[in-house]
Amino acid sequence: MKKHLQHPIFSVISKLAAAQNVQTFAIGGFVRDLFLERPSKDIDIVVIGNGISFAELVAQKLHVKLAVFKNFGTASLKYQDLDIEFVGARKESYRLDSRKPIVENGTLEDDQKRRDFTINALAISLHPDTYGQLLDPFNGIADLEQKLIRTPLNPIETFSDDPLRMLRAIRFASQLNFKIDDIAVKAIVENAHRISIISQERITDELNKIILSAKPSIGFNYLFDTGLLHKIFPLMTALYGVDYIDGKGHKDNFYHTLQVLDNICETTDDLWLRWAAILHDIAKPATKRFEPGHGWTFHGHEDKGARMVPKIFTQLKLPLNEKMKFVQKMVQLHLRPIVLAQSIVTDSAVRRLLFEAGEDIESLMLLCKADITTKNEYKVKKYRQNFELVQQKLKDVEERDNMRNWQPPVTGIDIMELFGIKEGREVGIIKNQIREAILEGEIPNEREAAINYTIEKGEEIGLKVVGKS
C-alpha cells in the first residue's frame, strides 16, 4: 500500500505520529477508492487518542488554518489539493429517537465497527513501524471484489441506529453499480419507517447523489423495492402499475420514468435536467382517464405537472429559484417537440417553441429524445428522423427570425408615444397582436414592419397616430 501514500501529507502525519507516539490511520472512502481506482480528494484520518490535538500539530507543521468542530470531536484542514479531516477513534451508541450517537473514546477496532459498510471500514496505518499496513477486519476487500454492499455489524442494528445509512447503502450501490447484501436489503425493508427521524435536507442530499450516478435506476429500484421511496417521495411511487379496461392497458409510468432518467444521464450531468426527467410525467396518475373506443389518456399532464413542481421542490427542500423554474419549464414543454416530430412542422409552431423555450431549447430537445422508450425499432427510427427534422427547422427559423430570448421590436412605451395614450388595455391588446403576428409569420421580426403593423391595429380600435416612434 505504500505506493499509494506518496503525497507529502502522509509523510508529515507519519513523522508526527512517531514523535507523539500515537497510532494514526487513513480510513474510509479514501482507502476504498484506492482499490476502486477512483480519484479522491477527501482523506479521513483516525487517531488513537485526541484527534483535534493531533490535527493542531499537523496544521502548525504545514502552516495552514485548522477548522475545529468540538461538538463533533473533529478538525479539518486543506493542504494542496486535499481536504483532510481528523477524528479520535471512538465507539458509539444510539437512542431510538435520534441518529446522533453517544460517543466514547475507543480503539481502532471500535472505530471500524461503527463504520456504515465494510468497504468503508478499511484502514491503512500511517505510523512508521507499520506504515502502509492494511487493516481489513470485516473483509471489505472481498466485498469490493464481489461488488457487494454489506454492513460490518448486524444490519438491523446498523440501520436502526442511523437510518440515513439505508439511503447511503442505496447511493453507493447506484454510484458503484454494486449489489446490496440480501440480509441488508431485508434490514432496510424492516427499518424503512425509521427514515422519518432523518431531516429532509439529508434525505434530499442522498437522493441527489443517486440521481447524479451514472445509472440512477439502480438506486431508484432499490428505493422502490425496499419501501423507502414510498416514505420519502410517494408521488413518484404513484406512477407505478398498469390498469386495464376492455383489454387495453397503458405503459407503467414508473419504469418508463426510470428509463427516461437513465437515457438522459447518457447525454448530460445536469442535476436539474435529470430532475426534469423524473418529474416530466409526475401528473399522469392525476390526469389518467379511460375513453371508450380510444383507450387511456393523460390530457394536460404537462400543465398540471408544471404546476406541481413548486410544491414538490418545497417538500423536498430543493431550491426555489431559477433551477426550480427551469425544471418547471421542461415539464411544461416536454411534449411540444414530440408533437412537432409526429406531424408536419410549420414555421409558426417552431417559432412558438423557440419563443417559449428560449435558451433552454437544447435541454428540452435532450429531454424529449430521452423520452423515447418504445421497444419498437421502427418507431424509434421514425421518431429520431423526425427529431432531426425538427432540430434543423429550429436552427433555420432561429437564424432567420431570431426568436430565442425574444424581445418585442415594438415596446409598450413605443405604442403609448405613437398614439399619445397612457398605459392600459389598448397597449396590452396591441402588444399581444404584434407577438402573435410575428409568431405566425404574418410580419417579420423587425422594427419597421412591427411599427406599421402597430399603426394598422391601433386604427382598427379607434386610435390615431400623434407621434412617430
Side-chain angles (χ1 to χ4, degrees):
M1 297 301 301
K2 290 182 181 179
K3 66 179 180 179
H4 298 295
L5 304 176
Q6 298 302 312
H7 196 284
I9 187 64
F10 296 114
S11 176
V12 171
I13 291 172
S14 182
K15 288 175 182 176
L16 282 172
Q20 298 297 314
N21 194 27
V22 297
Q23 296 293 325
T24 59
F25 303 85
I27 196 167
F30 173 77
V31 183
R32 176 200 68 223
D33 288 343
L34 285 179
F35 289 95
L36 291 174
E37 297 182 350
R38 297 172 80 211
S40 180
K41 298 297 183 183
D42 299 311
I43 302 176
D44 290 338
I45 304 294
V46 67
V47 179
I48 312 304
N50 192 314
I52 293 176
S53 296
F54 187 80
E56 288 171 344
L57 294 173
V58 176
Q60 289 170 16
K61 186 72 175 176
L62 297 174
H63 305 292
V64 297
K65 289 182 179 179
L66 183 71
V68 176
F69 307 95
K70 286 188 176 178
N71 288 347
F72 298 98
T74 65
S76 63
L77 58 83
K78 291 181 181 290
Y79 180 62
Q80 294 183 3
D81 56 339
L82 298 176
D83 291 310
I84 305 149
E85 183 170 281
F86 297 82
V87 65
R90 55 195 183 180
K91 55 183 176 181
E92 299 175 342
S93 56
Y94 291 81
R95 299 184 303 273
L96 271 176
D97 61 342
S98 173
R99 65 178 290 268
K100 292 180 180 177
I102 299 166
V103 178
E104 303 172 68
N105 291 336
T107 64
L108 176 66
E109 185 180 356
D110 290 328
D111 203 89
Q112 287 175 300
K113 281 180 181 177
R114 75 177 183 84
R115 300 281 161 171
D116 48 11
F117 311 115
T118 61
I119 62 172
N120 292 335
L122 299 165
I124 300 174
S125 174
L126 298 178
H127 192 281
D129 294 346
T130 52
Y131 193 75
Q133 180 182 329
L134 178 69
L135 296 102
D136 179 18
F138 303 110
N139 296 316
I141 296 298
D143 289 341
L144 283 174
E145 291 170 351
Q146 294 175 39
K147 297 190 172 185
L148 190 66
I149 304 293
R150 196 169 55 85
T151 59
L153 304 178
N154 184 334
I156 290 177
E157 292 178 20
T158 297
F159 296 143
S160 179
D161 283 348
D162 184 356
L164 186 66
R165 289 170 174 167
M166 297 186 289
L167 287 178
R168 282 172 57 83
I170 292 170
R171 186 248 292 182
F172 279 120
S174 198
Q175 286 179 328
L176 303 175
N177 195 12
F178 276 27
K179 180 179 180 291
I180 301 176
D181 175 60
D182 290 341
I183 298 173
V185 171
K186 289 177 183 176
I188 295 174
V189 172
E190 189 171 320
N191 282 283
H193 66 283
R194 296 271 295 148
I195 202 68
S196 62
I197 72 168
I198 304 297
S199 72
Q200 185 60 58
E201 288 85 353
R202 286 188 175 274
I203 290 171
T204 297
D205 183 52
E206 292 297 328
L207 196 56
N208 280 340
K209 288 175 182 176
I210 291 169
I211 294 167
L212 285 170
S213 59
K215 192 176 180 183
S217 63
I218 294 170
F220 276 97
N221 277 314
Y222 271 123
L223 288 172
F224 183 85
D225 294 343
T226 58
L228 272 176
L229 195 63
H230 301 70
K231 304 289 185 185
I232 66 174
F233 196 5
L235 271 177
M236 190 173 178
T237 65
L239 292 165
Y240 174 79
V242 179
D243 290 326
Y244 287 90
I245 293 180
D246 298 339
K248 291 184 177 180
H250 55 82
K251 64 188 171 191
D252 187 308
N253 288 303
F254 177 74
Y255 292 111
H256 164 72
T257 294
L258 295 191
Q259 183 62 62
V260 175
L261 178 58
D262 281 351
N263 287 349
I264 207 158
C265 290
E266 294 176 5
T267 58
T268 180
D269 293 328
D270 186 332
L271 173 63
W272 308 109
L273 190 48
R274 293 182 180 202
W275 263 110
I278 291 170
L279 298 180
H280 80 287
D281 280 348
I282 200 69
K284 277 194 169 180
T287 57
K288 182 167 65 177
R289 302 287 184 273
F290 183 79
E291 296 180 0
H294 176 71
W296 293 97
T297 65
F298 304 91
H299 295 313
H301 76 273
E302 70 282 13
D303 296 320
K304 186 170 182 62
R307 292 196 301 272
M308 290 167 68
V309 168
K311 187 175 181 181
I312 292 170
F313 267 52
T314 300
Q315 289 171 338
L316 296 179
K317 298 291 179 71
L318 289 163
L320 303 176
N321 54 17
E322 69 282 351
K323 295 178 175 67
M324 183 270 287
K325 291 176 181 176
F326 167 79
V327 174
Q328 195 172 26
K329 183 197 282 190
M330 292 298 101
V331 173
Q332 176 78 60
L333 298 178
H334 80 271
L335 289 182
R336 294 282 288 281
I338 293 173
V339 172
L340 289 181
Q342 291 172 333
S343 58
I344 297 171
V345 186
T346 63
D347 283 4
S348 64
V350 172
R351 277 190 215 97
R352 286 186 182 279
L353 184 58
L354 281 166
F355 171 70
E356 293 182 42
E359 285 298 324
D360 299 316
I361 187 66
E362 284 86 4
S363 295
L364 181 62
M365 293 303 290
L366 286 178
L367 176 59
C368 291
K369 285 181 180 177
D371 202 10
I372 302 170
T373 61
T374 177
K375 299 293 188 288
N376 186 315
E377 286 299 322
Y378 171 75
K379 284 186 178 179
V380 170
K381 186 177 179 181
K382 182 182 175 185
Y383 274 136
R384 284 179 177 161
Q385 287 174 342
N386 286 353
F387 266 125
E388 288 176 11
L389 182 65
V390 171
Q391 284 190 293
Q392 186 58 48
K393 198 83 168 180
L394 284 166
K395 184 180 177 183
D396 294 344
V397 170
E398 168 62 17
E399 286 177 355
R400 185 177 70 245
D401 296 340
N402 193 29
M403 292 304 301
R404 190 185 302 217
N405 287 339
W406 182 75
Q407 296 295 323
V410 173
T411 67
I413 292 173
D414 291 333
I415 295 168
M416 288 186 281
E417 290 178 350
L418 198 59
F419 297 114
I421 59 176
K422 293 182 178 179
E423 187 174 352
R425 182 169 168 269
E426 292 96 339
V427 176
I429 290 172
I430 294 172
K431 282 174 69 177
N432 287 338
Q433 288 175 325
I434 294 167
R435 185 187 69 237
E436 289 301 306
I438 291 171
L439 290 174
E440 288 298 325
E442 294 175 20
I443 62 172
N445 186 20
E446 297 168 1
R447 182 170 174 80
E448 185 177 352
I451 289 287
N452 292 334
Y453 187 81
T454 300
I455 293 169
E456 178 187 330
K457 291 300 170 183
E459 290 175 346
E460 286 180 8
I461 56 175
L463 298 178
K464 292 184 179 180
V465 175
V466 298
K468 192 78 171 177
S469 272

